[in-house]
Amino acid sequence: MARPASPSVTIIDVAERAGVSKSTAARALANYGSVSEKTRVAVQAAAEELGYQANTLARSMITGRTMTVGVVIPDISNPFFGNAVRGISTAAREEHYDVLLSSTEGDVGLERRAVSVLAGKKVDGVIIAPVSTEDTEHLEALEAKGVAVTLLDRPAPTVAAASYVAVDHLGASSLAVNHLIDLGHREIGIVTEASAMLPDQVDPTLASMLRPASARLLGYAMALRSAGIRYDPALVASSAYARASASAAVRRLLEAQPQVTAVYCTDSELSAGAFAALQELGIDCPGQLSLIGFDDQDWATLVRPRLTVVEQPSYQLGRTALKELIATMVNPAERRQHRTLRGRLIVRDSTARPRAAAAKA
């Protein structure tokens, strides 16, 4: 039976119990160097029996690693980041790493402080969803110290050696918009945090340089143009990241553009605000107007009609980010990889053929 962890038990005690040398026991417990599987199992069993508590500082001095990674996200209460952190933590445990987590509340000053603290703790790598795509000197400094960096969900083009893991925003938006087009919709509005201004010639290579909201708007424009539908900035309802703002944006859009038969929201928070606006306005959804959201949340199946969404694989994004971070720690030459995962369209009750198209059918 394993004893409670005891700081009085030393690596020498473990080595004697397992019948190996001190250096062999150290290698077996730190999981480095050449040790047979039989010896590794025996040493780990001895450590558990004795209640051995590893001296992480001493181990890091030997191996050059602390077996810890830092995770810096803007909002732990956001279900997307919560699920991503769960994926990171699960994958980290599988790789024998511990996770140090910091939530910055979207404040770049708090982000700088979190990164500084993690650097001081000598973490082996950092996964971060940066607040800004431009204000990233602290991330560049982290890389200069030899700390591996993986960007989650949000790019930072000036952090030259960082890998980037995100959903395929262009493809995800195409899933949403093409679903509406296939139903017969042509006047499709969008609720987004991004600016309505897009270049006349859409360049898909821009996506990896853009924040998620802008990339999703770009995907919306590309899907429309692929179907021969003109991109109209008047159908873009700009909103802050807040339900009340999204609700007001939808009201403005429908008042100014009454011909709109469908609305695509590029975020779960915006989706909730748009849904509330339709209820308050007494608009029949999907009879009068179809609504499709981004990111699947619990509330999306609790409301009526249940919301059609594009689901992000947030848990898998977290796992992929951790695996990518470890790969770059092992082989720095592999840095600056761009890993994209596909979204998934979940069709529920909030989207249908527009009445004019349904009548013709």
Side-chain angles (χ1 to χ4, degrees), residues 216-250:
R216 292 169 196 168
L217 177 61
L218 183 60
Y220 159 86
M222 290 176 63
L224 291 177
R225 289 172 178 172
S226 293
I229 302 172
R230 183 178 66 90
Y231 171 75
D232 185 356
L235 300 185
V236 178
S238 296
S239 170
Y241 181 72
R243 295 187 184 189
S245 179
S247 179
V250 169

Side-chain angles (χ1 to χ4, degrees), residues 246-258:
S247 179
V250 169
R251 287 172 177 269
R252 291 192 302 270
L253 172 67
L254 298 181
E255 182 178 348
Q257 307 293 332

